[in-house]
């Protein structure tokens, strides 16, 4: 006997975050989740273990909100990679492992 109320307001994240990909290690696909507390240009890049940019994953303007990106590693070699996201002057980096 309780009452539940739903509001039509958008609920935006309260902070910028870049979550750990899942699954990790992965083969061949993994999900990368990120949250933006305010709108802005988002750049998400993939780097190899040497720090060489392998692929640009996202480069676009996004409104505040929660997002996920599916990385398909079927064209990549097995190994350790890093993904780095920059938005609104903040950057975060995480490590992922591709095992074929």
């Amino acid at each position: 006997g309780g009452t539940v109320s739903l509001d039509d307001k958008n609920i935006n994240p309260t902070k910028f975050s870049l979550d750990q990909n899942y699954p990790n290690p992965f083969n061949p696909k993994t999900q990368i989740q990120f949250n933006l507390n305010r709108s802005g240009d988002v750049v998400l890049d993939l780097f190899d273990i040497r720090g060489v940019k392998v692929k640009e994953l996202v480069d676009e303007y996004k409104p505040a909100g929660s997002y996920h990106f599916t990385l398909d590693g079927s064209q990549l070699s097995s190994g350790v990679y890093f993904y780095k996201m920059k938005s609104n002057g903040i950057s975060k980096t995480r490590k992922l492992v591709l095992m074929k």
Side-chain angles (χ1 to χ4, degrees):
T3 302
V4 175
S5 173
L6 294 177
D7 205 333
D8 283 344
K9 293 180 187 173
N10 286 339
I11 300 174
N12 286 326
T14 58
K15 65 179 185 171
F16 171 96
S17 67
L18 177 62
D19 297 340
Q20 185 63 52
N21 65 301
Y22 181 82
N24 190 31
F26 71 100
N27 180 21
K29 294 183 180 180
T30 189
Q31 296 286 319
I32 298 172
Q33 173 88 25
F34 60 93
N35 298 295
L36 303 172
N37 60 332
R38 61 183 204 211
S39 302
D41 292 321
V42 175
V43 176
L44 180 62
D45 292 322
L46 184 68
F47 298 88
D48 67 15
I49 192 74
R50 299 168 296 156
V52 175
K53 184 173 164 180
V54 174
K55 192 173 188 178
E56 183 177 84
L57 306 176
V58 176
D59 184 6
E60 61 188 60
Y61 180 87
K62 294 209 175 271
S66 296
Y67 299 91
H68 73 274
F69 178 84
T70 302
L71 172 61
D72 183 350
S74 58
Q75 301 299 315
L76 300 172
S77 300
S78 294
V80 176
Y81 293 87
F82 296 91
Y83 56 101
K84 179 178 182 178
M85 187 174 97
K86 293 187 277 187
S87 182
N88 295 315
I90 303 171
S91 72
K92 298 269 186 184
T93 304
R94 301 257 185 223
K95 179 171 80 171
L96 53 82
V97 179
L98 172 59
M99 293 178 69
K100 291 189 175 181

